[in-house]
Amino acid sequence: MHIKGIHHVSAITADAKKNYDFYTNVLGMRLVKKTVNQDDTSMYHLFYADEKGNPGTDLTFFEIKRAGNTYPGTHSISTTSLRVQNDDSLTFWQKRFDEYNVDHDPITVRADRNTLSFRDPEGQRLMLVSDEQNHGVASGTPWSGSKVPVDKGITGLGPVHLTVSNALPTITVLKDILGFKEVGKAENRIILETGEGGTGAEVHIEERTDLPREKPGRGSVHHVAFRVENEEELEQWKDIIQKAGFPNSGLVDRYYFKSLYFREPNHILFELATDGPGFATDEDIDHLGEELALPPFLESKRKEIEAKLIPLETK
């Protein structure tokens, strides 16, 4: 039993409509699920992923309309990486970002891989990572319906970067409880990997004693989720985490996967999530994300919920 890699990353937006435009039209990701936050149905929960919504390709956003600015710092998931197939793809993206006035840095080598850092319109810190030299967890398949050519498209989630004031407690949780391995250092970051390794299974940790604690808002990351095979394994992970003394959520049914949440010592929220049943549970694979999807226990409130939501597309 082991953690297989990154499952998804969930972030915050203050404007679901503009968020949808950027991630589908500019980044070319597929909206595979348009639903609501199960704990607050007045806010959208949007899921962008690859062609089929495979685990490990999923970047999600909670819409919190009154979210203020993010003030970066420690105790944070400070960068979310997105995988592309090769170095040539980064050149394509650099030109595309110039065309769409996307704030970005030059192509830079990090941890022996070519990367391209950029920010979305709300300051979400993102990085494209080339898989040209990568070996490890398989990538997803870019969305064929995208405006971005398939051979240049985003294939999934890459390394997640954490910024903390004291790296040791976080490293201890990842290694001693979740089974990650420390595999090296690069640019003052400690690199850990799990499962088959590679870009889809890495966490990079940077220790910064000179920064204040991050004040999250729009453009910040809420949590990172790691992949487990199924509910049976998730139950076993719950026991492991409880025995280690960490308060946790217990198993939570997110309908498209089962989850378990806990906070590591630097207060970053970790989630363990099952690979299935997946986003095609309540929609045909060819029509994912086209209608508002609600889990069965919210279906009776559909009219009430829809009345509070602003349509993402202008018809």
Side-chain angles (χ1 to χ4, degrees):
M1 189 177 75
H2 61 266
I3 301 294
K4 299 171 67 176
I6 309 297
H7 188 284
H8 68 266
V9 172
S10 289
I12 296 170
T13 178
D15 190 326
K17 188 178 179 67
K18 290 182 179 179
N19 180 271
Y20 169 77
D21 178 67
F22 182 80
Y23 284 89
T24 58
N25 292 326
V26 179
L27 291 191
M29 299 180 75
R30 185 182 186 187
L31 181 70
V32 295
K33 196 62 58 178
K34 177 172 59 176
T35 185
V36 294
N37 185 338
Q38 293 182 13
D39 302 314
D40 183 351
T41 60
S42 68
M43 67 172 71
Y44 273 115
H45 190 183
L46 305 178
F47 295 74
Y48 305 102
D50 75 341
E51 175 96 344
K52 297 182 179 180
N54 285 306
T57 71
D58 179 16
L59 178 57
T60 95
F61 287 87
F62 301 111
E63 183 189 36
I64 303 177
K65 293 180 181 178
R66 296 183 180 180
N69 292 325
T70 293
Y71 296 89
T74 63
H75 298 73
S76 68
I77 299 167
S78 49
T79 304
T80 301
S81 301
L82 300 169
R83 301 167 68 177
V84 293
Q85 295 178 45
N86 50 42
D87 294 348
D88 185 56
S89 298
L90 295 181
T91 303
F92 165 86
W93 281 103
Q94 191 173 43
K95 293 177 181 177
R96 185 171 178 83
F97 288 162
D98 287 338
E99 178 184 351
Y100 283 90
N101 296 312
V102 176
D103 182 29
H104 69 86
D105 299 337
I107 295 172
T108 303
V109 177
R110 294 182 175 88
D112 298 323
R113 302 176 184 123
N114 281 342
T115 68
L116 176 59
S117 293
F118 68 102
R119 274 69 55 187
D120 82 357
E122 295 180 300
Q124 187 75 230
R125 292 155 285 175
L126 300 158
M127 180 189 296
L128 296 177
V129 178
S130 169
D131 268 352
E132 183 153 320
Q133 306 298 328
N134 184 58
H135 302 280
V137 174
S139 65
T141 303
W143 180 32
S144 60
S146 171
K147 296 178 181 178
V148 174
V150 170
D151 64 330
K152 301 295 190 294
I154 291 169
T155 62
L157 292 170
V160 171
H161 293 208
L162 312 182
T163 299
V164 297
S165 57
N166 181 3
L168 182 59
T170 301
I171 292 170
T172 299
V173 168
L174 287 167
K175 290 172 64 176
D176 295 353
I177 298 176
L178 298 183
F180 280 70
K181 299 178 294 184
E182 188 172 331
V183 294
K185 294 182 179 179
E187 299 86 37
N188 298 318
R189 290 178 171 85
I190 299 164
I191 302 173
L192 299 99
E193 70 174 18
T194 185
E196 298 176 45
T199 48
E202 289 182 359
V203 174
H204 294 197
I205 301 176
E206 181 180 18
E207 183 176 273
R208 294 288 297 271
T209 58
D210 59 323
L211 295 177
R213 183 167 176 166
E214 179 165 299
K215 294 181 180 178
R218 60 180 181 270
S220 66
V221 176
H222 186 266
H223 67 268
V224 57
F226 302 115
R227 293 174 60 193
V228 303
E229 182 68 27
N230 51 40
E231 186 175 352
E232 181 181 356
E233 284 196 7
L234 192 62
E235 287 278 7
Q236 295 178 58
W237 282 113
K238 181 185 73 173
D239 293 341
I240 290 169
I241 291 165
Q242 285 179 336
K243 288 176 182 177
F246 287 91
N248 63 84
S249 65
L251 267 62
V252 180
D253 188 352
R254 294 304 187 198
Y255 195 57
Y256 308 111
F257 43 83
K258 300 288 178 65
S259 296
L260 173 78
Y261 301 84
F262 73 102
R263 289 191 184 275
E264 53 79 53
N266 279 298
H267 303 283
I268 295 171
L269 185 60
F270 286 170
E271 175 184 354
L272 305 184
T274 60
D275 272 0
F279 294 115
T281 300
D282 56 354
E283 292 181 302
D284 183 88
I285 194 73
D286 293 329
H287 298 283
L288 294 176
E290 294 179 6
E291 304 294 336
L292 182 69
L294 296 175
F297 68 89
L298 289 176
E299 190 59 51
S300 63
K301 299 180 180 179
R302 175 175 287 275
K303 289 186 178 180
E304 176 187 340
I305 291 170
E306 289 182 333
K308 297 178 181 177
L309 300 173
I310 297 173
L312 298 180
E313 295 184 275
T314 302
K315 297 183 179 181

